[in-house]
Every structure is written in C-alpha cells, then in structure tokens.
Amino acid sequence: MRLNIPRFHWFLIILSAFTISACSGGEETVAEKPAPVHIESGDECHVCGMIISGFPGPKGESIAGDSQRVRKFCSTRELFAWKLQPENIHQNDTLYVHDMAQTDWDNPADTALVDARDAFYVAGSDAKGAMGPTLASFALEAEARKFANSHGGRVLRYGEITLADVSGGMAMGEMGDMDH
C-alpha cells in the first residue's frame, strides 16, 4: 500500500521531525560559578593600582563569566566603586568578598571569600579598610548586625548599595584625592 502524499507534505513532515529532534536534543547546561581566586602578594587593585596585601579590611574580586578574567580590589569600597559604574553594573560576573565573621580584620584570609551578591554589608562604620572607610562584608545578616552594633553603620544587602554608600559622604571626584 502506497500513501499518496504530495512531495511538499513529505518535505514538511521531514522538516518538522528534524526540528523536533534538534530542539529536544540535549539538556541546557548551566555554567558553573568559578571559584574565588587567592589574592597573591603582588596583586594590584583594579581601581587604584595599590598592592592589595598588607592592608586591613575585606577585599573583593570579580571574575568575568565569558573570559574568566579576574579583577581584584583592595577593599569592598573599591569593588563597588567599580561595579556601580554604568559600564559595569550589568556585567554578568561572579563577585566575591571576605566574610569578616570568619577572618581577622587586619589580615583577611582568602578561605573566607563568599558570594558578594548573597552577602550583607555594613556601610558607615568606624572600621577602616585599605582606602579608609569601607563596607564591612558578612555572609550572615546576624553577624553584620552584631558588627554594626559595635562599630556603627547600617546593614545593607548587595542590591541596596549605592555610590553614596561607597563614597562615604564624599563626592566621587574627591575619592581619587585620598591618601593611599
């Protein structure tokens, strides 16, 4: 028994079968988040050019998803000063900061790096980082509140931080005039 189907219809049937098989071929793979990179003794801050090690307070880093390019920052303040710029704010990069509840303020250990977007920050405290006032970073809100109770400031989530929080009340132009 031969089916009497016009050639054009055969073409559509084959094309449909091909399209369905191509669409259902494989599972989409989600890119795995890159691990934090250790801060080495000679690493320089991406924003100010200072050598990062040897300064107190939390540091930060950005790892670009597409190129795996790593940018390191001498403080969370510098990380946010860079990240909040219009050309950087929408980049899909992985960000890390030190969880200061897990490490010493004067010598933060890279084993305490946590996802910056999940962290809690204390802005306006009396604690100083590499560039003076900085944002104290914590993995847990309770630790951030405890720090704020001892050192002043207010607790913020990643998405709540603005350039005003980063500048510490100074105009952004004055930030470049600070002593390093």
Side-chain angles (χ1 to χ4, degrees):
M1 174 172 133
R2 181 162 196 240
L3 296 175
N4 192 10
I5 300 175
R7 225 180 264 192
F8 177 73
H9 290 132
W10 276 111
F11 174 75
L12 289 177
I13 292 168
I14 292 170
L15 182 61
S16 298
F18 177 77
T19 303
I20 291 170
S21 67
C23 290
S24 64
E27 302 269 333
E28 277 190 42
T29 56
V30 176
E32 194 171 310
K33 179 168 59 170
V37 177
H38 287 288
I39 297 171
E40 305 295 333
S41 62
D43 287 343
E44 295 179 1
C45 178
H46 180 71
V47 171
C48 69
M50 283 180 24
I51 298 294
I52 297 172
S53 60
F55 290 97
K59 316 294 185 255
E61 60 185 42
S62 165
I63 304 172
D66 54 349
S67 67
Q68 297 294 306
R69 177 178 178 193
V70 179
R71 294 176 180 94
K72 298 178 183 179
F73 302 89
C74 65
S75 70
T76 51
R77 178 181 178 183
E78 297 292 283
L79 169 70
F80 280 99
W82 172 80
K83 184 62 180 167
L84 292 174
Q85 295 304 310
E87 65 272 17
N88 300 325
I89 200 162
H90 297 294
Q91 289 182 10
N92 188 24
D93 45 2
T94 301
L95 304 173
Y96 290 103
V97 294
H98 284 104
D99 176 3
M100 298 313 294
Q102 295 181 35
T103 191
D104 179 56
W105 187 271
D106 291 324
N107 191 21
D110 291 340
T111 55
L113 288 167
V114 297
D115 189 315
R117 288 182 174 88
D118 296 333
F120 294 85
Y121 299 87
V122 180
S125 77
D126 62 3
K128 304 293 185 223
M131 297 293 288
T134 196
L135 299 165
S137 48
F138 298 90
L140 301 174
E141 183 177 12
E143 294 292 341
R145 295 210 178 279
K146 181 177 165 184
F147 184 88
N149 288 338
S150 297
H151 297 277
R154 64 190 197 292
V155 176
L156 302 169
R157 295 299 316 247
Y158 173 86
E160 297 173 321
I161 296 172
T162 66
L163 284 174
D165 297 313
V166 173
S167 68
M170 298 181 338
M172 286 305 290
E174 296 174 30
M175 284 182 66
D177 299 333
M178 292 179 54
D179 291 330
H180 290 21

